[in-house]
Amino acid sequence: HRIVELFKSIYKNVWISSGASKGGMTCLFHKRYYPDDIDATIAYVVPIEFGAPDTRFPGYLETIGDQGCRDKIKAFQRRCLTNRDSLIARMPAWFSSKGLSMNRDAELVFEQVVASYDWTFWQYHTKSCNDIPGEGSSYDEMFAHLAEVARMETGSDEQMYYFRPYIFQAYTELGYPARNYDHLRDLLKFDPDSLDHEILSSLQFPVQYNPSTSIDINAWLQSSGNNIIYIYGTLDPWTGG
């Protein structure tokens, strides 16, 4: 709002705001609280969640792609967990090659990366179903594919630190997607949300979810949110919200 106030003295014509994902939330929230600042908004893949967790997402994830591809994704996740020792052994060199540190339990980070693979596969969609390593693939092929698609760098100390404010806001105000790990439960040693809980406990702030902000903003957008274009991706799991 203050940025718009400042620059409107220079740029006096029509103003359009845009943003994607969390940046798109910012645009919509800005429009809610300062509706006269911006003439139009383009919001890309912006979810609004109503729970911590929000249970709308697992069902939507199961509608993306075809059954054969979804089965292939789940089979790859299980194959990674079954071969965890060989894949985890490749993690230190990988993080080092990226100039990143990873001082947490490697097995915990590995499990979280594998558990997120089905979500990130569709969200970023950098690979097709035909690219998923199948039976007989080498450990190097499996690891390289997992690291790229599931964005293994999210387990680094640097990224964990960077996302602390978002994790806190998700658990207290924005909400976050529920996930279904039933197809992996028998192979998991940790709660896939353990790293989030570690971040929250390190903040030493009380964590209590209050959905009132999301409810208020959504209600306003429904009744008064004019001149907004919402753009969503069919393959993006966030579209479930």
Side-chain angles (χ1 to χ4, degrees):
H1 171 63
R2 298 301 295 273
I3 292 170
V4 171
E5 279 189 322
L6 174 65
F7 282 103
K8 272 194 171 180
S9 64
I10 304 171
Y11 303 107
K12 300 180 183 297
N13 292 324
V14 172
W15 274 65
I16 298 175
S17 63
S18 69
S21 191
K22 185 67 161 63
M25 291 182 185
T26 303
C27 290
L28 295 182
F29 300 173
H30 174 211
K31 196 165 181 65
R32 160 68 183 100
Y33 294 114
Y34 300 97
D36 298 325
D37 272 9
I38 299 295
D39 299 290
T41 294
I42 304 173
Y44 299 87
V45 293
V46 180
I48 296 184
E49 294 117 330
F50 303 112
D54 186 320
T55 58
R56 294 174 296 164
F57 290 90
Y60 186 80
L61 189 60
E62 285 299 317
T63 69
I64 301 175
D66 59 51
Q67 189 63 53
C69 186
R70 293 194 296 270
D71 290 344
K72 198 171 183 179
I73 289 169
K74 292 175 181 177
F76 177 71
Q77 288 176 288
R78 291 188 60 82
R79 196 153 53 248
C80 286
L81 292 172
T82 301
N83 295 282
R84 66 171 64 220
D85 291 343
S86 297
L87 299 181
I88 290 173
R90 288 160 167 78
M91 289 174 63
W94 186 89
F95 278 98
S96 178
S97 72
K98 303 294 182 183
L100 300 171
S101 61
M102 197 274 292
N103 292 312
R104 290 169 176 79
D105 186 321
E107 200 162 28
L108 171 59
V109 172
F110 174 76
E111 283 198 0
Q112 188 181 53
V113 170
V114 173
S116 69
Y117 172 84
D118 55 343
W119 183 284
T120 55
F121 179 89
W122 294 117
Q123 179 178 350
Y124 300 109
H125 206 54
T126 57
K127 301 290 184 180
S128 75
C129 292
N130 294 330
D131 295 321
I132 300 173
E135 293 285 354
S137 299
S138 70
Y139 295 137
D140 285 340
E141 290 172 325
M142 291 174 61
F143 183 85
H145 179 82
L146 175 68
E148 179 181 353
V149 173
R151 304 207 166 190
M152 189 169 287
E153 62 270 16
T154 58
S156 68
D157 298 332
E158 291 82 359
Q159 290 225 8
M160 294 286 287
Y161 182 84
Y162 176 81
F163 280 106
R164 286 193 310 168
Y166 172 72
I167 297 297
F168 178 73
Q169 192 179 20
Y171 275 78
T172 57
E173 184 176 44
L174 293 180
Y176 60 89
R179 295 296 315 280
N180 182 3
Y181 303 111
D182 288 349
H183 63 294
L184 304 175
R185 290 288 180 195
D186 60 318
L187 298 175
L188 293 173
K189 297 181 180 180
F190 301 95
D191 175 358
D193 295 322
S194 293
L195 291 178
D196 288 350
H197 299 155
E198 177 185 323
I199 290 172
L200 295 171
S201 62
S202 72
L203 294 174
Q204 299 180 339
F205 290 106
V207 177
Q208 184 172 352
Y209 176 65
N210 182 347
S212 61
T213 298
S214 291
I215 293 171
D216 169 78
I217 290 171
N218 183 67
W220 185 89
L221 290 170
Q222 298 292 331
S223 65
S224 306
N226 299 319
N227 299 333
I228 301 172
I229 297 176
Y230 298 92
I231 300 176
Y232 293 93
T234 306
L235 298 181
D236 188 352
W238 288 104
T239 300

